[in-house]
Amino acid sequence: MPENAQPSTRDGFALFPDRSVVALRVNGELKDLATTVADTDAVEPVTIDSPDGLNILRHSTAHVLAQAVQRIKPQANLGIGPPITDGFYYDFGVDTPFTPEDVKAISKEMQRIVREGQRFVRRVVSDEEAHAELADEPFKLELIGLKSPSAAEGASVEVGEGELTIYDNVTKDGEVVWKDLCRGPHLPNTRMIGNGWDLTRIAAAYWRGSEKNPQLQRIYGTAWPSKDELRAYQHRLEEAAKRDHRRLGRELDLFSFPDEIGSGLSVWHPRGGIVRGEMEQHARRRHIAEGYSYVYTPHITKKDLFVTSNHLVTYADGIWPPIRMDEERDDEGNVTKQGVDYYLKPMNCPMHILIYKERARSYRDLPLRLAENGTVYRNELSGALHGLTRVRGFTQDDAHLFVTPDQLEAETTKVLEFVLSLLKDFGLSDFRLELSMRDDEKSKWIGEEDVWETATDALRRVALATGLELIEEPGEAAFYGPKIDLKVTDAIGRSWQLSTVQLDFNLPERFELEFTDRDGEKKRPIMIHRALFGSIERFFAILLEHYAGDFPLWLAPVQVVGVPVADEYADYLDDAVAALRAAGVRAEVDHSDDRMQKKIRTHTTGKVPLILIAGEQDRAAGTVSFRFRDGSQENGVPLSDAVELVRGAIEAHALVSSAADLRPEGASA
């Protein structure tokens, strides 16, 4: 560019005429497509099907929802309307709660607004101008002075640390027909919302998430780039409802949450206990083979331990209230020894650190791998509790590894390889990784920058070596070190975060951990935190939904049920089932008075993988018949072969839905 020449400028419409582009990222910041940019700017297109594009679509649809509500109920006051996972919501101050009929009318009005093709036009305003324009919106007025993305639940869509902006909805004739306090960006116009949206439910919600504030009415919705994607999402919801682990837990008699015990505290029934036991025992065998040592720690500890670890400061709101103990008094009631506060443990790591500290350590002792199925307790809000996936008491399959700096990369590689291998044992296979890193905000992190850089580079190499998709997330690291999070996609396309591998330089420093190196010098080990399942309860719930209750044969609470064609063949099936039990198979015979077909329906509904049937022909020949999940049968299987086939399928962790699944590849029927 010649000296003193001005850079040329164009807007996003000129730069990216593709209609799938709905916004821009200019020098790293999201902007409206109408934004004017210079040749010197770094500009990236944002497509509607990208994560940012979907958020913009959903937030724009939330604005249309709010406009429709105020067309029908002009006195409704606006709260906030952020995008959320798979959708959006908007809160309103109204005199009476919304009804299903209201929602239908609002939906029709939204359709009209979408067809009108109103433009979303951004406008910068001062605090005084915003107060004047939004004088009739008390909740918006409250947000104007906050200027912080964390000022309220979901309020980052309204106000931030920078300038205030209002978005006008402008008709084709140039008339401003509605406005909202908003940071944006938005779609160019309402017509781009299309028909891939729906309003899903209504609920009550407290303003700014506090019960001290007024209760508002919330309308939830979802929005997708096309009608087909909306239908696919609705199908996923229907499938998810069928697979809901809370419903399956009741139907299959696996677990419950008795009111007498308390919210978020589960009890495991015999059948659920079998599945959990198989999970734990298999993981334990694999851990021991990988060089881990199992330890056991108490459920309660003195306050000072969690003060030293900083958990009592960082996670104070999520820790149970203290229990005062150890106070002593004399005969006159005078305190002779002050009491001490004890806490139910929210984490296992400080106790594992104390095991490390119990004696002097040498480089020859490292890596030291400590594992525990440790039950922890967190004071979750009642509104956040959800079946087994969000509870107040749960068991972490926790492991903490203490390594020398030169062991870090090799040991992290082993950890990640082990995690992937063990999850595959449970039938999961669709993985991706996220690398959470430090950013440029120096005050948020502890430790030297060169240590962070070395550790982050090591994690990146380890992650890339797996060949899995890797997403890097600057600024998302724990304050004490970078981490890798593993996410898995289940049978119906939902993403779950499971395993975490975190590097920690902080706790070894706080607890003054040491090892004697080869040169005789005392040095700090690095600590690796690793939860493979995350929590056993949550992982169980994920597996239950992934398989819709049809567990693989090795995990099924009851693996085989014998159903006689008639009562006279029950004794023969008792002998067959006894042979299976002797081989370690969980098997039983149905001796109820029900007819054979009803028994088969009962155990099929009960998700029993294999039904063993026998009649006169089987008894005479010393055979049995298998009925499989898909309704097919294999008849005339010699009893000794049947036992061998079932044992083989269990050891192979096979799903066993048909005859082909029961027999090894190439085996003859």
Side-chain angles (χ1 to χ4, degrees):
M1 183 180 298
E3 189 175 352
N4 298 325
Q6 296 296 316
S8 63
T9 59
R10 288 185 292 173
D11 64 25
F13 294 103
L15 284 171
F16 304 105
D18 185 344
R19 285 183 57 82
S20 68
V21 177
V22 294
L24 306 175
R25 187 173 287 279
V26 182
N27 301 322
E29 187 177 351
L30 282 174
K31 298 282 188 179
D32 293 305
L33 192 60
T35 300
T36 300
V37 297
D39 291 342
T40 54
D41 290 324
V43 183
E44 302 172 61
V46 176
T47 58
I48 197 168
D49 57 356
S50 68
D52 286 332
L54 285 171
N55 280 340
I56 292 168
L57 165 65
R58 288 160 182 165
H59 186 41
S60 300
T61 312
H63 270 225
V64 170
L65 163 62
Q67 183 183 2
V69 167
Q70 288 198 318
R71 276 188 177 181
I72 294 171
K73 294 178 178 286
Q75 301 307 312
N77 291 128
L78 301 175
I80 55 175
I84 56 175
T85 301
D86 292 337
F88 59 89
Y89 68 78
Y90 211 111
D91 291 339
F92 302 94
V94 289
D95 293 334
T96 57
F98 292 115
T99 66
E101 289 71 25
D102 290 332
V103 173
K104 289 179 183 177
I106 292 166
S107 182
K108 288 182 179 179
E109 193 62 39
M110 287 177 66
Q111 292 171 6
R112 282 190 279 270
I113 295 170
V114 168
R115 289 194 298 269
E116 288 170 12
Q118 299 174 12
R119 289 181 294 120
F120 293 100
V121 179
R122 181 177 184 269
R123 180 163 50 90
V124 179
V125 293
S126 66
D127 285 15
E128 293 75 17
E129 289 170 331
H131 274 94
E133 292 195 42
L134 302 170
D136 295 330
E137 298 288 356
F139 302 115
K140 298 293 184 182
L141 294 178
E142 188 174 331
L143 292 178
I144 290 170
L146 295 177
K147 294 288 186 70
S148 171
S150 59
E153 177 194 15
S156 61
V157 300
E158 310 275 352
V159 294
E161 296 173 350
E163 59 193 7
L164 279 179
T165 54
I166 284 177
Y167 271 80
D168 296 324
N169 280 38
V170 182
T171 66
K172 294 176 180 178
D173 298 330
E175 180 185 0
V176 176
V177 290
W178 190 75
K179 69 182 70 170
D180 196 3
L181 180 72
C182 186
R183 296 179 70 195
H186 280 284
L187 299 176
N189 61 71
T190 60
R191 188 175 290 278
M192 293 187 74
I193 292 172
N195 58 5
W197 59 271
D198 190 22
L199 300 183
T200 55
R201 62 189 177 97
I202 49 181
Y206 288 102
W207 170 238
R208 296 179 60 187
S210 173
E211 295 181 7
K212 298 177 183 178
N213 292 332
Q215 189 178 80
L216 308 181
Q217 290 294 300
R218 176 172 293 181
I219 300 179
Y220 284 94
T222 188
W224 300 85
S226 69
K227 189 74 170 181
D228 287 344
E229 288 166 282
L230 171 64
R231 290 192 181 114
Y233 168 71
Q234 292 169 331
H235 175 73
R236 289 197 300 273
L237 288 184
E238 293 169 3
E239 188 62 30
K242 296 176 188 175
R243 293 169 180 259
D244 190 319
H245 74 276
R246 296 167 297 176
R247 181 178 66 82
L248 290 171
R250 290 190 301 271
E251 292 177 357
L252 302 179
D253 194 21
L254 302 175
F255 59 86
S256 61
F257 291 87
D259 288 339
E260 295 87 343
I261 294 177
S263 300
L265 300 168
S266 61
V267 295
W268 292 71
H269 301 188
R271 293 193 173 198
I274 289 171
V275 182
R276 176 171 175 159
E278 288 289 340
M279 290 166 52
E280 293 175 338
Q281 290 160 25
H282 177 72
R284 184 183 182 91
R285 288 189 293 268
R286 290 290 315 272
H287 276 81
I288 292 171
E290 292 288 329
Y292 288 77
S293 298
Y294 272 84
V295 298
Y296 299 87
T297 60
H299 294 232
I300 189 171
T301 182
K302 290 181 181 179
K303 172 183 179 179
D304 288 351
L305 180 64
F306 289 120
V307 171
T308 302
S309 70
N310 211 43
H311 287 109
L312 202 53
V313 176
T314 307
Y315 303 107
D317 292 341
I319 293 179
W320 287 78
I323 305 167
R324 192 73 172 173
M325 296 174 66
D326 297 341
E327 182 178 278
E328 295 181 6
R329 295 176 180 265
D330 60 22
D331 293 341
E332 285 74 38
N334 300 311
V335 175
T336 59
K337 179 183 176 183
Q338 292 295 327
V340 178
D341 283 343
Y342 283 72
Y343 284 86
L344 292 171
K345 66 173 178 178
M347 307 281 186
N348 299 302
C349 33
M351 295 186 180
H352 290 188
I353 288 172
L354 296 183
I355 294 173
Y356 179 96
K357 285 193 70 173
E358 187 62 24
R359 65 178 179 84
R361 303 287 177 178
S362 159
Y363 71 92
R364 294 185 180 89
D365 299 318
L366 306 183
L368 178 65
R369 309 178 186 98
L370 303 180
E372 177 181 16
N373 288 338
T375 301
V376 297
Y377 304 89
R378 299 185 187 171
N379 192 14
E380 298 281 2
L381 296 175
S382 59
L385 300 176
H386 183 82
L388 290 176
T389 61
R390 195 75 177 265
V391 288
R392 287 176 170 161
F394 57 94
T395 303
Q396 289 183 311
D397 65 320
D398 233 347
H400 296 95
L401 298 87
F402 301 87
V403 303
T404 65
D406 60 342
Q407 293 170 337
L408 179 62
E409 186 166 342
E411 194 62 24
T412 306
T413 297
K414 288 182 182 178
V415 168
L416 196 53
E417 289 174 348
F418 177 45
V419 164
L420 293 169
S421 172
L422 188 51
L423 292 177
K424 288 175 183 176
D425 288 349
F426 288 89
L428 301 172
S429 58
D430 190 346
F431 306 117
R432 71 180 188 278
L433 302 176
E434 289 184 358
L435 174 60
S436 297
M437 308 179 297
R438 175 175 172 159
D439 61 16
D440 294 332
E441 179 55 55
K442 291 181 170 40
S443 63
K444 292 168 58 178
W445 320 106
I446 64 166
E448 300 299 324
E449 287 190 38
D450 59 338
V451 176
W452 273 85
E453 185 176 351
T454 299
T456 302
D457 288 345
L459 284 184
R460 183 182 290 109
R461 286 192 296 271
V462 167
L464 290 172
T466 66
L468 298 175
E469 177 188 359
L470 175 64
I471 299 171
E472 296 193 357
E473 299 284 358
E476 295 300 317
F479 68 92
Y480 50 74
K483 62 176 181 171
I484 294 175
D485 290 326
L486 183 144
K487 296 195 172 181
V488 63
T489 301
D490 69 9
I492 58 173
R494 297 172 301 180
S495 180
W496 301 89
Q497 181 173 320
L498 288 179
S499 310
T500 296
V501 181
Q502 298 179 336
L503 305 188
D504 187 354
F505 321 109
N506 176 49
L507 287 181
E509 187 71 31
R510 294 183 74 93
F511 282 90
E512 300 180 340
L513 301 188
E514 293 180 336
F515 71 94
T516 303
D517 208 351
R518 290 177 175 82
D519 57 8
E521 296 293 322
K522 298 289 187 182
K523 297 181 180 176
R524 289 268 187 266
I526 297 173
M527 192 172 173
I528 302 174
H529 301 251
R530 191 238 64 192
L532 196 155
F533 295 150
S535 85
I536 291 174
E537 287 80 0
R538 184 170 176 273
F539 186 70
F540 177 92
I542 292 169
L543 281 185
L544 184 56
E545 295 195 6
H546 176 67
Y547 288 113
D550 286 319
F551 284 115
L553 186 62
W554 72 284
L555 281 176
V558 179
Q559 295 164 322
V560 180
V561 168
V563 174
V565 172
D567 289 345
E568 61 186 286
Y569 307 111
D571 290 345
Y572 174 72
L573 270 181
D574 282 336
D575 293 338
V577 163
L580 288 167
R581 285 179 174 171
V585 179
R586 295 186 291 275
E588 57 191 45
V589 177
D590 187 340
H591 287 286
S592 70
D593 293 333
D594 293 333
R595 297 173 63 85
M596 182 186 75
Q597 293 304 324
K598 184 177 180 182
K599 291 180 182 182
I600 290 173
R601 285 196 302 273
T602 296
H603 299 300
T604 299
T605 302
K607 312 290 188 181
V608 176
L610 290 172
I611 297 176
L612 210 61
I613 301 173
E616 179 57 39
Q617 189 172 351
D618 286 305
R619 184 170 63 179
T623 62
V624 291
S625 298
F626 283 115
R627 182 181 176 88
F628 300 93
R629 299 179 204 256
D630 65 357
S632 63
Q633 286 194 194
E634 183 174 346
N635 301 321
V637 181
L639 182 55
S640 59
D641 289 355
V643 173
E644 184 178 339
L645 287 170
V646 173
R647 278 303 317 163
I650 291 171
E651 291 167 4
H653 289 192
L655 184 58
V656 188
S657 295
S658 66
D661 299 325
L662 187 62
R663 293 185 177 277
E665 188 174 348
S668 59

